[in-house]
Each structure stands twice: as structure tokens, then as C-alpha cells.
């Protein structure tokens, strides 16, 4: 390793880098290094930079009730990658056994493992296991925050900000919690994540009921790493389609929560030189030199395609009987999840299949399959790699598969042939391997035949290229690439990297989202929230002023014949009208309880008389008990809003809890917003019902066939409208937060992006050609054309009328069955 990390490195993984075993004789724990690429690559860096490794100890809370956990130091003779990590650098996370089982066997391996490997029929969806998953992720997040708090006691510079590196599908929710609390406490850090398994396509990932929460959990990071580009693009696609994020596929960027998250392909490698040395030192393990060995090494898992592999080998013996007594398949199956019924059944199936094939083809001097169910030492495994003629790496789905790389590294004698499934991440870069679809048994048998009969010169050139690539892109290169992408590498080599920020939002970004939907024929209704959508959020509502440019664009849109504008706000209707100050548009206040039409007519939702007194009572209780430390109550008539934006973070939970309690005690519905709690009367009316009422009033009962609709809002109250208009409108949620659940089609980061959307609407509608009407071209002599405007200028019609007759039909006029004004007045 010829590079160093700048700043402190905090590695967060499901397991510690070593296994803890309790020694009854000494009454203390001993540690044994874990194998694997992650430990090999990362542990030396943690040791070198004085970092921290956070992981599950392997022990449950119940076990620790009688045994005190003290992390031991490494043995002086230990030469493994973890030897340099001191006990003070280890943070053990301990979890209740029942919770851990729900988290690990339930959610991680019962849901995410099959789902992310595109085997959705095997996935089990359970609310209990999901809740356990979230709880355990919070435990890991809190341990990480404690480590950050200690590190932040020492002043950090921009060059050595702590790096939190979270690993794998066990901890996809931890980053968002870490980021949120770190920002609240002003703890400086960078957060990276690496997924060691595949990331599925949108049609698979969307099956998970909490898919949006998982995506937002991962997007709490600054950078997310995957093995290959395909997984990166799958993730980006899910972020765009599920969360409505703005993305850049060419630069591999996702904009979310006001931040730009980098998504990077970082294929993991192996300690190449170490495996070369293992192969050189490994003893001879194959006694029969006149037979060619086909090697399979896998964890016993349904994703590895073991059943398909054995059947393909059986098909080879059927189609090419000359291989009898000349070729042997050695399949090593490492035990995995032996307490899970599905894995027990897989083992039974393999046992029976091996027995059947051996029973069918075995001769007195030869058995076609040697089957080892158990663990094999690395020395022995290196010998098998070195002396095998063919390595059969044919998973049905795999994140990377390091067996293929280890085989190549150990090929130091007679060159063999690698057969590789395209469904393993390694298949994207190991082009010189023979590719085979494991589902196609006949093709697999023929590829096996080709590998066994391949001339030496072809084997040499293929293996030479494979070895050169794996030596270059080894595990150190992977580690270095990750640190470089995170900006945490002390020594840079000047390699080009992808952009880290997206270009600023422009009108063209809305072209693909809105152009086809808005079209060039139908009218457009814009339903817009005020605070946080048209006007930036401010400490006090009176300061939330609509920017001049936004107001000018909105005024021009309101004067377009094809546009209908309504502002739907939580403010009182008169307040929102005063703040916007534009004529000829509809204003809805108190979340739609009051609606003011452009002609001055007003709709007020009926309110129980008893609530007039309850409003006064609640207002008094809130003011007397909770209006301190910057908290205050806004009286909007039928609705009271408790504001706590200026209060200290430490007292907010108590204020929110007590305000909610008082509201409910007085018979109100308590709704949370952005730094507010609102008390609403218990009426079945909200922004969603109000939006539909506005559209029906303006465009008739069949409004959804007459008009295109855009809705934009920033609060949970806007979710009512977004939900009501789902499928009948394009909806936007304006939010800088990275932990907001929304049904909106798209997310926008700020009020500036709303302005950009309004500008696009203006540009698009300005390009429309004037409409031609047959009446205008065929007006009888002595007659005139009158235009009748339908409710709130929603649409219009033309009629032939006598001279002197004018229409008084304006916004709010009485509509007939077709939605048009039904009366005219003669000026004479």
C-alpha cells in the first residue's frame, strides 16, 4: 500500500474485522482475523491512520449480561491485515438477540438479499423485520456519531475532515441519520457508502414497500460506490423514478436534499500478490495428474447457480462421453445460513443431485464429482486454483465474485481457462473469460467442452490479459479509488475523475418532464403553495415575500388565456392574497377552508359552531404554556399554527409533544409541518379536496379531461393535494431535506427551481400558435362574435350575437350543464 488517507477514517460494517471467541480458561476474549477483500483492503488503512472500525461484536445483549466485553489486542505473532488495529480503535455494537434476528435473518437476508439479486419470488416482506432493520441501523448510526463527537473535540481542517465509510446492504439507512444529527450538532464529516452486492433495476426494487426510505437512507451520503456501471445506473434510475430526483446519467450524479450525491463504479479487487505467493507456497493436493480438474468454489447459496452447474456438467458427460475418467468436477460448497430452512433444502437438493450424477457415471476407477461441503484453508484453496484446468464461476446473480479473480491470480503454472457468468459483476471487465449463461445447460456444456479442449497458445494469451488486469486493479487500487472519490487521499496521481457537481438547474430540465404532458392544445392549471414554494421559508411568516422575478412571471402567466392560476396556502386567505398581490387568480387559504375567486366571490367550508370557543381556549393554553424560547402561535381563524423554528434543538421534542397533546385534547387534528404544528378542525377537507373543488368550479365536472394540471408544494399538507391529483397532474415537492417521503412525481430543491419551472411554462405556452375559430371566419353581416368565459376563465366559447349585446360572464359566473356561462346582457 503506497498511499495514505487524510483525516480520520471511520469504517462502519455489519461485522468487526475479526471474530471474537471467549476462552473459558483465561476468562477473556480472543480475536481471530476474518477473511475477505474488505478486511484485507481497509484494515491496514484503519491501522495506519488511527481510524475506528464499528461493527457488531457477534455477541447478543443477553450474553453480555454475564460476560464483560473487552476487546483484546492482537497476538504479537499475528501477521494478518487486522494485526495493527488496536483495541481502542474498535467500537462494538451490541444488539438484543430477537431484534438482531429480525434485522439480519428477516430483513437483510430474507428481503434485501433475494430482492437485490433479482429473485423477488424468494423475498419476504415483513413490517416487523423492517422496523428491526431501522432500529439496528439507528444503533450503528449512534455509535458512529459518538465516534464523530470525540474526533470533533480536536479541531479539524478542510484537509482532514473525518470520513465515515459505511458498508453494504445491512446498513443502508444509517447514513441519513448520521447526516441529519451531524448537521444539527455541527459535526464535520464526509460520508461514503459501498454496496457489495448488485443493485437491482427499477421494476425489481419498486417491489419493496419502503423503497423510497432505502433510497433516501443511501442518499444521506456524499458518495455511493457500486461494483459496476450497471448497478450505478440502476440506482440513479430508481432515484429519478421513485424520488423524483434530478439526475445526470453521464456524470453519475443525483441531486437530493439540496446536495449533489456522487455515484461511482468502483470494482473491488483482490490482494493479487498475496494470492500469487500463496500459490507458490501451496503444497500439491491433486494426486491424479492424468485427469483435468474443473473447479467450483462457492458459498452454499441459491444465487450461486450450483444446481444449474451440476446439471450442465451432467450434460457435458452425456454429449461428450469421451470425458469419462478424464475430467473431474470439484465443487467446494462453504456452509451458509445453516439455520435457515431454505438453505437446508438447497443442501439436500445438492446432495441428492451429486449422488444421482455420481451413481449414473461412476466407474471403478473414477467418480465424476468430488463434493466438499465445508471450509477449505486458503493454502489448500490456492493449490486447487493453481492446478485446475477450468474454473467454473457461474452464479445466477452476483455483485462481483472474487473467486474468478483469485483463480486468475493463482494461475502461475500451466494456464487454465476461466468460465464466467455474465450475471456476475466480474463479467463486465474480465472479457477474456469464456462467457456462459448458466440457465442454458446445452450452451454451458459446449462452453465447458471448448475450455477443456482449448489450445495452449489461446489459453496463454487469455490468462495473460486477465492476470495483467487483476494485478493492476487490485484491492489497493480499489481502496485508493474510493479515497480519491471522497477527496480523502493524501497522494493523488492526477487521474481524471468524473464531475462532482451537477450543472445548475435550467428551463431545459423541465422539457423532458413537462413538454409532452402540457402539449400545445389544452389549457394549463397551475396550483401552487406559497411559503416554501413561491416564497422562501423565513423565520417569521411576515418576512416570506415572493421574489420580484417570480411575481412578474406569475403575473404574465395569469394574463395568458391558456393559463389558470391558483395559490393554495396554509395562511389565511386574505393574508396570502396580500402577500401575492396578483389579480385575476384564485386564492385558497387555511389549506382550502377558504377560497377567494377572482370576481370577489368566496367559498368558506362550514365549521362546527363549537369550535369558535375551542379555538380561543386552545390559543390561550398554547400561549400560556408553550410560547417561550422563540415559540409562538399564529391565529388564522379556523386554524392555529404553533411555530418553533427559533427554539433550541434540545427542547423541540417536548414542545412538539405538548402542543400536539393540547390540540388533540381540545378536539383538533394536529398536523406536523416544517417547524410548525397546526391545529385543524376535524372536518374532511384539506388541500386535496380544495384543489379538486377549485378545478371543478373552474372547468366543470369533467375537469380532468379539459385541462392539464401542475401542482407544486413543499409541506406535508401539500401531500394531500399531491395524493388527490396523483395520475391526473404533474406534481412537485419542494424540499431541501433528504429524509422526506412524498408521492410527488418530482422533487425540486428550492423556490428558485419553482421559478425556473414557471419560466419554462411561460416559454412553452408563448410558442403556441393562435387558435383559429370557424365562427370568426363566417360571421353573418350585421352580427358580432362574443366570447363566453367559463368559470374562473377556465375555458371559453364563441357565439354569434346581435350588435350591442355583451357578456358579463366572468370568473365565478353561473355555469350551465356544459360549464359555460348561461346568460348575456344587452347593453341597450
Amino acid at each position: 500500500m503506497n498511499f495514505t488517507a487524510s483525516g480520520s477514517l471511520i469504517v462502519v460494517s455489519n461485522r468487526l474485522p475479526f471474530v471474537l471467541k471467549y476462552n473459558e480458561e483465561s476468562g477473556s476474549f480472543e480475536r481471530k482475523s476474518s477473511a475477505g477483500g474488505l478486511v484485507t483492503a481497509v484494515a491496514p488503512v484503519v491501522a495506519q491512520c488511527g481510524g475506528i472500525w464499528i461493527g457488531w461484536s457477534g455477541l447478543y445483549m443477553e450474553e453480555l449480561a454475564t460476560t464483560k466485553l473487552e476487546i483484546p489486542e492482537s497476538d504479537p505473532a499475528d501477521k494478518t491485515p487486522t494485526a495493527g488495529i488496536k483495541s481502542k480503535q474498535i467500537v462494538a455494537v451490541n444488539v438484543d438477540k430477537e431484534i438482531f434476528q429480525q434485522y439480519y435473518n428477516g430483513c437483510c437476508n430474507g428481503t434485501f438479499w433475494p430482492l437485490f439479486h433479482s429473485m423477488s419470488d424468494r423475498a419476504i416482506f415483513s413490517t416487523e423485520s423492517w422496523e428491526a432493520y431501522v432500529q439496528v441501523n439507528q444503533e450503528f448510526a449512534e455509535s458512529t456519531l459518538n465516534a464523530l463527537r470525540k474526533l470533533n473535540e480536536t479541531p479539524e481542517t478542510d484537509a482532514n475532515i473525518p470520513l465515515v465509510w459505511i458498508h453494504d446492504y445491512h446498513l443502508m439507512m444509517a447514513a441519513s441519520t448520521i447526516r441529519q444529527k451531524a448537521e444539527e450538532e455541527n459535526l464535520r464529516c464526509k460520508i461514503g457508502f459501498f454496496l457489495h452486492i448488485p443493485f437491482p433495476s427499477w421494476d425489481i426494487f419498486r417491489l419493496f414497500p419502503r423503497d423510497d426510505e432505502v433510497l433516501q437512507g443511501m442518499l444521506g451520503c456524499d458518495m455511493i460506490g457500486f461494483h459496476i456501471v450497471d448497478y450505478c445506473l440502476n440506482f440513479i434510475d430508481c432515484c429519478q423514478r421513485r424520488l423524483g430526483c434530478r439526475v445526470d446519467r453521464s456524470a453519475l450524479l443525483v441531486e437530493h436534499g439540496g446536495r449533489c450525491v456522487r455515484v461511482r463504479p468502483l470494482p473491488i479487487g483482490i490482494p493479487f500478490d498475496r494470492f500469487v505467493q500463496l500459490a507458490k507456497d501451496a503444497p500439491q493436493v491433486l494426486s491424479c495428474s492424468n485427469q483435468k480438474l474443473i473447479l467450483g468454489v462457492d458459498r452454499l447459496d441459491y444465487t450461486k447457480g450450483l444446481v444449474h452447474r451440476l446439471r450442465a456438467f451432467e450434460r457435458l458427460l452425456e454429449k461428450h462421453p469421451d470425458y469419462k475418467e478424464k475430467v473431474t468436477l470439484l465443487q467446494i460448497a462453504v456452509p451458509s445460513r445453516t439455520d435457515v430452512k431454505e438453505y437446508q433444502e438447497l443442501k439436500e437438493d445438492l446432495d441428492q443431485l451429486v449422488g444421482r450424477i455420481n451413481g449414473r457415471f461412476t466407474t471403478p476407477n473414477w467418480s465424476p464429482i468430488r463434493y466438499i461441503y465445508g471450509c477449505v484453508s486458503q493454502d489448500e484453496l490456492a493449490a486447487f486454483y493453481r492446478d485446475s484446468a477450468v474454473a467454473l464461476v457461474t452464479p445466477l446473480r452476483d455483485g462481483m465474485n472474487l473467486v474468478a479473480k483469485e483463480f486468475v491470480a493463482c494461475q502461475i503454472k500451466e494456464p487454465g481457462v476461466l468460465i464466467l457468468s455474465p450475471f456476475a459483476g466480474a463479467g463486465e471487465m474480465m472479457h477474456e473469460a469464456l462467457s456462459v449463461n448458466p440457465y442454458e445447460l446445452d450452451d454451458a456444456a459446449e462452453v465447458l467442452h471448448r475450455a477443456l479442449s482449448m489450445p495452449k497458445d489461446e489459453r496463454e494469451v487469455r490468462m495473460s490479459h486477465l492476470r495483467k488486469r487483476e494485478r493492476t486493479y487490485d484491492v489497493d487500487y480499489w481502496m485508493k479509488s474510493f479515497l480519491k472519490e471522497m477527496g480523502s487521499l493524501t497522494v493523488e496521481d492526477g487521474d481524471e475523475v468524473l464531475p462532482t457537481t451537477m450543472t445548475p438547474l435550467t428551463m431545459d430540465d423541465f422539457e423532458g418532464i413537462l413538454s409532452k404532458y402540457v402539449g400545445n392544445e389544452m389549457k394549463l392549471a397551475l396550483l401552487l403553495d406559497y411559503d416554501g414554494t413561491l416564497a422562501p421559508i423565513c423565520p417569521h411568516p411576515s418576512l416570506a415575500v415572493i421574489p420580484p422575478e417570480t411575481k412578474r412571471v406569475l403575473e404574465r402567466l395569469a394574463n395568458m388565456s391558456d393559463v389558470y392560476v391558483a395559490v393554495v396556502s396554509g395562511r389565511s386567505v386574505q393574508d396570502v392574497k396580500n402577500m401575492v398581490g396578483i389579480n385575476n387568480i384564485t386564492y385558497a387559504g387555511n389549506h382550502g377552508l377558504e377560497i377567494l375567486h377572482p370576481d370577489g366571490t368566496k367559498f368558506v367550508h362550514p365549521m362546527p359552531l363549537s369550535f369558535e370557543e375551542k379555538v380561543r381556549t386552545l390559543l390561550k393554553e398554547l400561549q400560556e404554556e408553550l410560547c417561550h424560547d422563540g415559540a409562538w402561535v399564529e391565529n388564522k381563524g379556523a386554524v392555529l399554527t404553533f411555530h418553533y423554528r427559533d427554539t433550541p434543538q434540545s427542547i423541540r421534542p417536548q414542545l412538539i409533544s405538548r402542543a400536539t397533546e393540547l390540540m388533540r385534547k381540545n378536539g383538533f387534528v394536529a398536523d406536523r409541518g416544517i417547524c410548525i404544528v397546526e391545529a385543524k378542525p376535524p372536518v374532511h377537507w384539506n388541500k386535496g379536496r380544495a384543489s379538486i373543488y377549485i378545478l371543478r368550479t373552474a372547468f366543470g365536472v369533467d375537469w380532468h379531461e379539459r385541462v392539464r394540471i401542475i401542482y407544486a408544494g413543499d409541506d406535508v399538507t401539500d401531500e394531500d393535494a399531491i395524493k388527490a391529483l396523483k395520475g391526473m397532474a404533474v406534481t412537485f415537492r419542494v424540499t431541501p431535506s433528504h429524509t422526506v417521503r412524498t408521492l410527488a412525481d418530482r422533487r425540486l430543491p428550492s423556490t428558485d427551481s419553482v421559478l425556473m419551472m414557471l419560466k419554462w411554462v411561460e416559454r412553452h405556452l408563448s410558442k403556441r400558435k393562435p387558435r383559429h375559430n370557424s365562427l370568426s371566419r363566417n360571421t353573418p353581416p350585421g352580427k358580432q362574435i362574443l366570447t363566453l368565459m367559463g368559470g374562473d376563465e377556465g375555458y371559453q366559447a364563441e357565439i354569434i350575437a346581435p350588435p350591442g349585446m355583451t357578456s358579463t360572464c366572468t370568473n365565478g359566473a353561473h355555469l350551465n350543464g356544459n360549464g359555460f356561462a348561461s346568460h348575456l346582457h344587452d347593453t341597450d
Side-chain angles (χ1 to χ4, degrees):
M1 184 178 65
N2 55 2
F3 59 92
T4 58
S6 62
S8 299
L9 176 62
I10 302 176
V11 175
V12 189
S13 68
N14 181 56
R15 304 269 182 154
L16 293 178
F18 43 73
V19 179
L20 292 174
K21 296 289 186 181
Y22 187 71
N23 188 318
E24 295 285 351
E25 294 182 3
S26 64
S28 61
F29 286 93
E30 298 175 349
R31 70 192 213 184
K32 180 181 178 183
S33 181
S34 301
L38 175 63
V39 172
T40 302
V42 180
V45 181
V46 173
Q48 184 184 63
C49 70
I52 296 170
W53 193 302
I54 298 172
W56 178 49
S57 64
L59 303 169
Y60 301 116
M61 296 293 288
E62 293 84 347
E63 298 174 87
L64 295 174
T66 56
T67 306
K68 184 179 179 181
L69 176 60
E70 292 184 355
I71 304 296
E73 301 295 348
S74 61
D75 188 287
D78 188 2
K79 302 299 182 184
T80 64
T82 64
I85 300 180
K86 306 297 184 182
S87 61
K88 65 181 181 180
Q89 295 175 261
I90 297 295
V91 176
V93 178
N94 303 309
V95 186
D96 174 80
K97 183 176 182 179
E98 184 177 347
I99 295 296
F100 190 86
Q101 291 298 325
Q102 286 277 10
Y103 149 78
Y104 187 73
N105 287 330
C107 196
C108 293
N109 295 326
T111 304
F112 289 139
W113 180 263
L115 194 70
F116 280 44
H117 285 84
S118 301
M119 298 182 179
S120 55
D121 58 314
R122 294 179 178 269
I124 300 170
F125 303 106
S126 163
T127 301
E128 291 76 14
S129 64
W130 167 249
E131 291 173 350
Y133 182 85
V134 172
Q135 181 177 335
V136 173
N137 271 249
Q138 289 174 344
E139 294 280 351
F140 275 84
E142 191 54 46
S143 295
T144 306
L145 287 161
N146 287 335
L148 281 172
R149 292 179 186 114
K150 292 179 181 179
L151 290 174
N152 274 256
E153 292 174 0
T154 303
E156 298 281 350
T157 66
D158 291 338
N160 64 344
I161 297 173
L163 167 60
V164 177
W165 189 1
I166 304 169
H167 286 272
D168 226 2
Y169 64 105
H170 310 89
L171 298 171
M172 293 185 291
M173 296 295 292
S176 59
T177 302
I178 295 170
R179 176 169 295 281
Q180 184 174 351
K181 292 191 177 181
E183 289 177 351
E184 291 173 359
E185 299 178 32
N186 199 28
L187 300 174
R188 300 185 71 191
C189 68
K190 294 181 285 188
I191 307 175
F193 179 88
F194 190 84
L195 187 71
H196 293 265
I197 64 173
F199 194 89
S201 60
W202 161 243
D203 59 326
I204 297 293
F205 185 70
R206 67 192 297 192
L207 297 176
F208 185 60
R210 301 281 183 164
D211 56 343
D212 57 333
E213 293 186 51
V214 173
L215 292 172
Q216 291 185 91
M218 296 173 70
L219 288 170
C221 298
D222 298 292
M223 197 273 284
I224 302 170
F226 299 93
H227 284 302
I228 61 175
V229 173
D230 282 353
Y231 305 158
C232 294
L233 294 175
N234 284 347
F235 177 77
I236 290 172
D237 189 43
C238 289
C239 290
Q240 183 183 49
R241 300 178 72 170
R242 182 62 180 93
L243 299 181
C245 295
R246 181 171 172 249
V247 304
D248 185 335
R249 284 179 171 78
S250 60
L252 299 177
L253 300 171
V254 176
E255 195 173 73
H256 181 71
R259 299 181 303 108
C260 196
V261 180
R262 305 186 294 280
V263 182
R264 296 291 184 260
L266 300 168
I268 193 171
I270 61 168
F272 188 89
D273 292 337
R274 179 167 173 267
F275 273 94
V276 170
Q277 192 60 48
L278 283 171
K280 290 179 179 178
D281 298 340
Q284 185 74 27
V285 293
L286 299 179
S287 58
C288 187
S289 59
N290 63 344
Q291 290 185 10
K292 289 186 176 181
L293 185 69
I294 302 171
L295 180 65
V297 181
D298 304 88
R299 190 168 54 81
L300 187 64
D301 191 279
Y302 51 76
T303 63
K304 303 301 182 181
L306 298 180
V307 170
H308 298 73
R309 184 180 306 164
L310 295 179
R311 288 177 175 165
F313 180 66
E314 180 182 28
R315 192 67 55 88
L316 172 73
L317 298 178
E318 291 172 350
K319 298 178 70 173
H320 300 278
D322 292 345
Y323 284 122
K324 291 178 182 179
E325 299 189 348
K326 295 179 181 178
V327 173
T328 299
L329 171 63
L330 171 60
Q331 178 61 56
I332 300 171
V334 180
S336 175
R337 301 168 192 166
T338 54
D339 56 338
V340 178
K341 183 180 179 182
E342 196 168 18
Y343 287 79
Q344 294 169 354
E345 293 173 348
L346 176 59
K347 182 181 181 302
E348 292 176 6
D349 291 342
L350 282 175
D351 290 344
Q352 293 175 9
L353 187 56
V354 170
R356 183 179 65 77
I357 295 174
N358 277 344
R360 181 181 176 190
F361 294 102
T362 295
T363 68
N365 301 315
W366 170 78
S367 291
I369 300 175
R370 289 177 58 190
Y371 178 49
I372 299 176
Y373 176 69
C375 296
V376 176
S377 69
Q378 283 208 321
D379 291 338
E380 191 175 12
L381 186 59
F384 287 137
Y385 284 145
R386 181 193 62 204
D387 298 334
S388 296
V390 176
L392 201 51
V393 184
T394 54
L396 305 179
R397 190 67 168 159
D398 217 337
M400 174 56 72
N401 197 297
L402 298 183
V403 168
K405 295 170 178 278
E406 292 168 2
F407 169 75
V408 167
C410 292
Q411 285 282 293
I412 60 175
K413 293 184 177 180
E414 182 77 9
V417 179
L418 173 62
I419 298 178
L420 185 57
S421 165
F423 309 127
E428 185 173 275
M429 58 209 72
M430 302 182 80
H431 310 297
E432 296 80 12
L434 300 185
S435 181
V436 63
N437 185 333
Y439 293 97
E440 291 284 352
L441 300 186
D442 285 313
D443 286 350
E446 288 306 312
V447 170
L448 262 173
H449 171 57
R450 179 187 172 192
L452 291 166
S453 58
M454 183 179 291
K456 183 177 181 179
D457 58 345
E458 184 179 350
R459 285 186 278 121
E460 285 178 337
V461 70
R462 287 180 179 274
M463 188 55 65
S464 174
H465 280 84
L466 286 168
R467 286 176 57 79
K468 182 179 179 180
R469 183 184 298 108
E470 296 310 318
R471 179 181 283 109
T472 302
Y473 301 108
D474 64 356
V475 71
D476 284 348
Y477 181 89
W478 173 72
M479 182 74 189
K480 181 180 178 181
S481 298
F482 184 89
L483 293 175
K484 178 184 286 188
E485 290 290 352
M486 291 300 305
S488 298
L489 191 65
T490 299
V491 180
E492 294 276 356
D493 59 11
D495 290 344
E496 292 185 6
V497 295
L498 289 170
T500 58
T501 58
M502 292 181 67
T503 57
L505 186 75
T506 67
M507 284 190 281
D508 292 337
D509 287 292
F510 293 96
E511 190 71 25
I513 302 171
L514 295 173
S515 181
K516 186 176 180 181
Y517 172 74
V518 174
N520 293 308
E521 299 296 331
M522 299 181 72
K523 289 181 178 286
L524 176 66
L526 292 170
L527 277 65
L528 309 167
D529 175 44
Y530 183 76
D531 292 277
T533 303
L534 292 175
I537 292 288
C538 292
H540 195 281
S542 62
L543 303 176
V545 178
I546 185 170
E549 187 177 8
T550 303
K551 184 172 180 177
R552 288 193 294 269
V553 173
L554 207 57
E555 283 177 328
R556 293 195 295 269
L557 287 170
N559 288 318
M560 286 186 172
S561 61
D562 279 356
V563 180
Y564 171 86
V565 179
V567 179
V568 186
S569 173
R571 294 171 176 259
S572 68
V573 70
Q574 193 58 48
D575 185 22
V576 69
K577 182 181 179 182
N578 293 339
M579 297 302 288
V580 176
I582 298 176
N583 296 323
N584 301 321
I585 69 174
T586 295
Y587 293 99
N590 282 331
H591 309 292
L593 291 173
E594 305 172 282
I595 299 174
L596 184 62
H597 297 290
D599 64 351
T601 58
K602 189 175 182 180
F603 163 86
V604 179
H605 192 278
M607 197 66 56
L609 295 176
S610 61
F611 272 84
E612 293 183 9
E613 180 61 32
K614 289 183 177 181
V615 167
R616 288 191 289 270
T617 301
L618 177 60
L619 177 61
K620 182 180 179 182
E621 291 181 354
L622 289 171
Q623 287 176 334
E624 291 179 351
E625 187 174 342
L626 300 178
C627 288
H628 56 81
D629 294 296
W632 61 284
V633 181
E634 181 183 5
N635 187 353
K636 298 188 286 188
V639 174
L640 295 178
T641 303
F642 176 70
H643 295 261
Y644 59 86
R645 180 179 298 278
D646 295 331
T647 62
Q649 289 281 352
S650 58
I651 67 170
R652 287 185 180 184
Q654 301 94 303
L655 293 176
I656 295 168
S657 176
R658 183 56 179 160
T660 301
E661 183 181 345
L662 290 174
M663 291 173 186
R664 290 173 178 169
K665 184 193 75 173
N666 284 280
F668 289 84
V669 175
D671 275 352
R672 290 279 303 275
I674 301 175
C675 292
I676 63 169
V677 184
E678 287 198 309
K680 300 177 184 177
V683 295
H684 298 295
W685 197 260
N686 53 39
K687 284 187 177 181
R689 297 288 298 276
S691 296
I692 291 176
Y693 170 84
I694 290 169
L695 291 167
R696 179 168 178 161
T697 302
F699 300 103
V701 293
D702 54 351
W703 54 269
H704 57 283
E705 298 178 1
R706 297 176 177 270
V707 65
R708 298 299 190 205
I709 304 152
I710 294 175
Y711 186 97
D714 79 309
D715 210 337
V716 290
T717 60
D718 293 295
E719 288 295 319
D720 294 322
I722 291 169
K723 182 178 181 180
L725 297 172
K726 191 72 175 176
M728 297 181 288
V730 173
T731 54
F732 295 96
R733 177 76 183 266
V734 185
T735 174
S737 172
H738 58 273
T739 56
V740 168
R741 299 198 75 188
T742 180
L743 292 172
D745 299 307
R746 290 288 188 274
R747 295 172 189 243
L748 297 176
S750 65
T751 55
D752 290 339
S753 53
V754 176
L755 170 60
M756 199 64 66
M757 182 267 289
L758 295 176
K759 285 183 173 181
W760 179 89
V761 169
E762 182 183 25
R763 184 182 73 179
H764 181 81
L765 295 184
S766 297
K767 294 178 181 178
R768 287 186 174 181
K769 296 179 181 179
R771 299 184 184 182
H772 299 289
N773 192 291
S774 58
L775 289 178
S776 301
R777 294 192 300 269
N778 300 290
T779 308
K783 300 293 183 180
Q784 65 170 327
I785 302 298
L786 289 184
T787 300
L788 305 185
M789 304 304 298
D792 292 355
E793 296 189 351
Y795 44 84
Q796 61 188 34
E798 293 181 338
I799 65 168
I800 298 173
M805 181 172 286
T806 61
S807 168
T808 60
C809 201
T810 58
N811 295 298
H814 172 69
L815 304 178
N816 63 13
N818 293 322
F820 292 103
S822 58
H823 55 276
L824 296 171
H825 292 281
D826 194 324
T827 55
D828 296 335

